[in-house]
Structures are given as structure tokens and as C-alpha cells.
Amino acid sequence: MRIVIFGPPGSGKGTYASRLEKRLGIAHISTGDLVREEIRNQTPLGKTIEKYSSSGTLVPDKIITQILKKRLASELSRGFILEGYPRTVGQAKELKKIANIDVVVNLNVPDNVIVKRLSARLQCKNCGAIYNEITMKPKVAGKCDKCGGELFKRVDDQPEVIRERLKVYQEASEPVVDYYRSKNLLKDIVNDDPNVDPEKVVDQIMKAI
Ligand SMILES: [Zn+2]
């Protein structure tokens, strides 16, 4: 099965995609991870991306599509869960040339739930591990379970910054959601409980797809 998982920042799409990967036995492909990998390995594409990001310009669609195409080639027969792509209708059309998508899971989470969840997020200064003051508390307050590092709140997890990010996401994603809805591929998953057990949401997704 070829799945796209779609949702605003803080909707938990990465978490659900990893759990779906285990349940369905197909690869979870995140374009964010793919891009970081290219940069880490200093491939020609990775170096090009670095040039764009260091100059503050957006990495062109063409490059992201190229990386994705390379990665998807080996998963076409087994299927995959794609996260972080497509972000535009243009990308959705590009994706169609690479692979026929069976279903698009659209996570609907109210803004106030996302703000609540993200503003409770803590990150380790040392190793980058993520915690949450409500749902995933560290064993010792303010300290990382894995390395003992100090936990802090990211600047972009402040409520007013989150609301701005959500607004930007909403405007950018609407045409893509409409595109997939018109093709009858969209499955809406509604989640308005900030303390929901991720496994319950995955159950919901499994039923829908
Ligand atoms: Zn740590």
C-alpha cells in the first residue's frame, strides 16, 4: 500500500508514520530525513541543498523530487508511508508520475490542541531527544533520560510562533488537500484530545485505510 500522511506541524504525523511502519511492514519515508541524510553524506545533491539553505533560499522542488524518486524506486512494489511530501499541488502531480498513491491520511487536529501539545515540548540541549511535560515526561524533571543533559523549550514552540506556523501551513496545504479530495483519495482522521494515546490514533488510521 502506498500511503501519504498529511497534517500540520505538531499533529504527530512522524510518530504515527513510524508506528504504521511497524504495523504494516512498509517503509516510513520522510523527506526531511532524506534531505538531512544527503547533507550528512555530502552527496552532490546534499552539497547543492546546503548552498540553498545557507543562503536562506528555499530548496527547489526539483531537487526534493529527485531525492524522493531515488528513494521510492526501491519501495514501489512493497509500498510506503510518505511524510513531508507533497507540499504543493505541483509536487502532488510530480509524485503521481513516480508512484500511484492509494490513500492520503489527513490528520485534523484543532489549533489549540497543537499549541497545547507543542508548547509542552522539551528538548535535550545535548542529544536532541524530545520530551513532553504532559505526555512524555522525563524521569527526573529538567534532565534527559538518555544522557542527563539539560532540557529546554525551543523558541519556535512558543504559542504565538506556533499559531503563525499553523496559519502558514493552512494556506499552503489547502490546495493539496483539495486536490486529493477531488481524486477521492483523502481519509480524514480527527483527533482533538491533546493527551490521546498514539496507538489509538494508529488504530483509527488502520480502520480508515
Ligand atoms: Zn539527552
Side-chain angles (χ1 to χ4, degrees):
M1 192 169 227
R2 296 159 177 177
I3 305 167
V4 167
I5 191 159
F6 207 71
S11 58
K13 52 185 183 301
T15 306
Y16 304 139
S18 312
R19 290 171 193 245
L20 282 169
E21 176 178 40
K22 290 198 190 96
R23 287 215 205 172
L24 295 166
I26 56 180
H28 165 202
I29 298 171
S30 144
T31 43
D33 289 347
L34 291 181
V35 164
R36 279 185 288 274
E37 209 177 284
E38 296 281 340
I39 295 173
R40 207 173 37 242
N41 295 336
Q42 286 291 296
T43 62
L45 277 174
K47 284 180 188 167
T48 311
I49 293 169
E50 239 176 3
K51 253 182 247 159
Y52 282 107
S53 357
S54 61
S55 67
T57 27
L58 272 178
V59 182
D61 268 13
K62 230 167 62 185
I63 294 180
I64 307 289
T65 307
Q66 211 177 331
I67 296 172
L68 186 66
K69 197 172 176 178
K70 200 169 68 174
R71 178 67 183 87
L72 284 186
S74 56
E75 306 294 344
L76 282 181
S77 54
R78 244 184 351 144
F80 52 80
I81 307 142
L82 181 59
E83 180 214 334
Y85 192 99
R87 289 183 195 269
T88 62
V89 173
Q91 287 185 347
K93 288 179 177 162
E94 281 302 316
L95 179 60
K96 198 169 186 307
K97 289 184 208 158
I98 307 171
N100 270 317
I101 298 302
D102 298 308
V103 60
V104 178
V105 173
N106 185 33
L107 299 169
N108 292 270
V109 187
D111 285 4
N112 59 339
V113 171
I114 291 179
V115 170
K116 211 170 190 177
R117 192 185 287 162
L118 285 188
S119 54
R121 194 152 78 156
L122 296 167
Q123 190 169 13
C124 173
K125 252 182 190 160
N126 183 43
C127 75
I130 301 277
Y131 298 87
N132 188 294
E133 291 172 324
I134 305 162
T135 53
M136 228 199 315
K137 288 185 190 167
K139 290 196 186 93
V140 180
K143 292 248 182 285
C144 177
D145 291 353
K146 291 173 189 153
C147 74
E150 191 190 327
L151 302 182
F152 75 106
K153 282 194 182 182
R154 288 170 18 174
V155 180
D156 59 354
D157 283 345
Q158 283 166 3
E160 57 278 23
V161 182
I162 299 166
R163 286 192 192 280
E164 187 53 37
R165 274 160 67 200
L166 288 173
K167 216 176 91 195
V168 171
Y169 169 82
Q170 197 62 42
E171 280 162 16
S173 68
E174 227 167 61
V176 186
V177 169
D178 289 345
Y179 172 82
Y180 282 123
R181 204 184 297 282
S182 74
K183 302 234 174 298
N184 282 323
L185 292 176
L186 206 74
K187 298 280 182 199
D188 282 298
I189 301 291
V190 179
N191 167 14
D192 49 17
D193 173 6
N195 306 320
V196 72
D197 173 4
E199 284 300 315
K200 290 237 168 75
V201 181
V202 177
D203 286 342
Q204 223 181 319
I205 297 173
M206 291 290 286
K207 246 183 256 166
I209 60 177

